[in-house]
Amino acid sequence: MSERTVIERGEETFYKTYNRFPVVFDHGKGVWLYDENGEAYLDFGAGIAVMGLGYGDPEFTQAVKDQTDKLIHISNLFYSRPAVEAGEKLLAASGMDRVFFTNSGTEAIEGALKIARRYAYNKDQSHDHEIIAMHQSFHGRSMGALSVTGNDHYQEPFKPLIPGIRFAEFNNLDSVKALVNDKTCAVIMETVQGEGGIYPASQEFLEGVRRLCDEHDMLLILDEIQCGMGRTGHMFAWQGYGVEPDVMTTAKALGNGLPVGAFLARGKAAQAMVPGDHGTTYGGNPLVTAGAKAVLDIFKKRDIPGHAAKIGGYLKEQLDGLAEECDLVKERRGVGLIQGLEFICPVGPIVTEALLKQKLVLISAGSNVIRFVPPLIIEKEDVDEMMKRLRAAIAAVKKAD
Ligand SMILES: *Cc1c(COP(=O)(O)O)cnc(C)c1O
């Protein structure tokens, strides 16, 4: 079956919620992906910030293979060693008190929202609690996560969503203050907004929201699904601010491609839910937690966050250089290996040209931003190669105009 037929059959088969690029990937190695013709693509998207260790890491792959042979699933009615060990390691890395493993990021958000509701309910048994979320945020596609996602385009066709959500402006503390009342139980935000265009929280904003939460006994929920797991140079982005959340979510790079996420809580928030309040059939099964445990071990052993900080600094310099020389680029934003280049025009043509002609995988974040979320194991020469291909793609698109 030719590549073309696979694409056509895919088009006939999948529910049409995606516009896919016409490429069929077959295997990967390190920071490279290969299509069915053996053509190599440099990957700066990492399966949307998932493949932190890149493709085919021998230690990670072996851990998953070994667990596959032993035991894949048992349900959460029993204990398994990989789940306990991955959980302990996640608590140690985050300083949180409790963890709940989920199958995805959006489910981690659902759990975090339920903690907020439960926490407030425990105080007054009322049903009118409010949560403050941010404009231009992204927290997932399930109805709860969508309700706190500040994107009209995503929300509009699916209303009514869950009630009691109010939207503030990211990095504008006054706009958050203005929404707080005695019914507000939580503030949820990404530490670095990803999908919305790569906007890091400012130090003053994060500190200010933390203070506000303390003053009003509201929970601070930080969504670290995209920006966490070493990407900013810290294990979790909030660790770079010295501001602790009450509840945090992780997923994407946690399983290096295995479907595993988690919500974590500390202090009073870690006590809010009780047995029977939440559950999942697959969540944190031995297979995915063996993978997460291997990821956490490798992160520590090879200091992956430290490497991300170093290479991230280099990537930032190179992107700043491009921003200066290219009149199509408005600005660069980001921290470590989560970077964005905002263009003065839609980036769709550049991303497509890069992929199909330059064999460079890039993804966008909104219409005008190219997002750089490569595997965390990239080296300087990968950045140099990416820049070369990106420049060529920009030049080709400019020429075509
Ligand atoms: C990807 C993402 C989610 C949703 O995760 P899924 O695994 O796709 O459900 C939530 N929040 C942020 C910040 C994300 O980047």
Side-chain angles (χ1 to χ4, degrees), residues 74-378:
I74 46 165
S75 88
N76 282 303
L77 302 177
F78 309 97
Y79 295 92
S80 82
R81 191 172 290 269
V84 172
E85 290 180 356
E88 286 173 346
K89 285 171 197 291
L90 212 42
L91 295 185
S94 63
M96 296 282 124
D97 294 327
R98 297 280 169 178
V99 58
F100 183 106
F101 285 110
T102 65
N103 307 289
S104 67
T106 201
E107 285 170 85
I109 297 292
E110 295 296 325
L113 296 176
K114 281 179 74 173
I115 290 180
R117 282 270 182 87
R118 182 52 140 140
Y119 179 72
Y121 177 83
N122 290 346
K123 285 192 284 187
D124 67 4
Q125 283 78 51
S126 79
H127 296 120
D128 52 359
H129 298 113
E130 296 181 1
I131 295 173
I132 298 174
M134 301 296 146
H135 286 299
Q136 282 167 21
S137 59
F138 182 81
H139 298 291
R141 304 293 198 146
S142 56
M143 292 302 258
L146 181 60
S147 301
V148 291
T149 289
N151 181 321
D152 291 338
H153 180 69
Y154 289 168
Q155 284 194 343
E156 184 55 30
F158 302 104
K159 288 178 176 176
L161 298 169
I162 69 171
I165 310 296
R166 291 156 152 266
F167 286 94
E169 210 179 298
F170 193 62
N171 280 340
N172 179 340
L173 187 58
D174 287 337
S175 83
V176 181
K177 278 185 185 158
L179 298 181
V180 175
N181 61 47
D182 57 0
K183 293 295 173 195
T184 318
C185 66
V187 178
I188 182 169
M189 66 168 126
E190 296 150 272
T191 319
V192 180
Q193 287 192 332
E195 196 86 12
I198 318 295
Y199 289 93
S202 70
Q203 182 72 33
E204 313 78 77
F205 183 63
L206 203 50
E207 279 177 6
V209 172
R210 175 70 270 176
R211 217 175 307 118
L212 202 58
C213 286
D214 290 338
E215 284 164 13
H216 296 269
D217 196 20
M218 309 182 296
L219 300 181
L220 174 58
I221 304 170
L222 291 180
D223 180 349
E224 292 262 338
I225 290 168
Q226 186 162 168
C227 62
M229 290 302 296
R231 197 159 279 286
T232 60
H234 298 272
M235 189 63 190
F236 297 105
W238 57 261
Q239 291 167 335
Y241 293 81
V243 172
E244 258 186 315
D246 301 293
V247 180
M248 60 161 281
T249 57
T250 177
K252 290 199 164 87
L254 175 61
N256 199 49
L258 289 177
V260 56
F263 60 84
L264 298 99
R266 76 178 169 94
K268 55 200 181 180
Q271 313 295 329
M273 291 207 284
V274 300
D277 273 355
H278 200 56
T280 167
T281 300
Y282 295 135
N285 79 20
L287 177 63
V288 301
T289 47
K293 173 177 173 284
V295 167
L296 293 162
D297 283 341
I298 293 168
F299 265 54
K300 206 164 177 185
K301 208 158 57 182
R302 300 188 207 153
D303 187 20
I304 299 286
H307 180 75
K310 203 174 80 208
I311 297 290
Y314 184 68
L315 173 64
K316 175 172 171 268
E317 271 172 35
Q318 301 306 305
L319 293 175
D320 279 337
L322 178 63
E324 209 150 289
E325 88 196 21
C326 178
D327 52 2
L328 292 183
V329 179
K330 193 172 152 204
E331 66 171 349
R332 179 207 57 80
R333 292 187 293 267
V335 201
L337 287 177
I338 175 164
Q339 297 284 342
L341 265 193
E342 180 167 344
F343 285 68
I344 57 171
C345 54
V347 297
I350 300 172
V351 167
T352 306
E353 171 79 19
L355 178 75
L356 299 180
K357 297 276 172 44
Q358 297 298 323
K359 311 295 180 202
L360 168 64
V361 180
L362 289 175
I363 54 179
S364 57
S367 82
N368 287 19
V369 178
I370 294 182
R371 162 167 41 165
F372 302 84
V373 285
L376 305 174
I377 55 161
I378 58 162

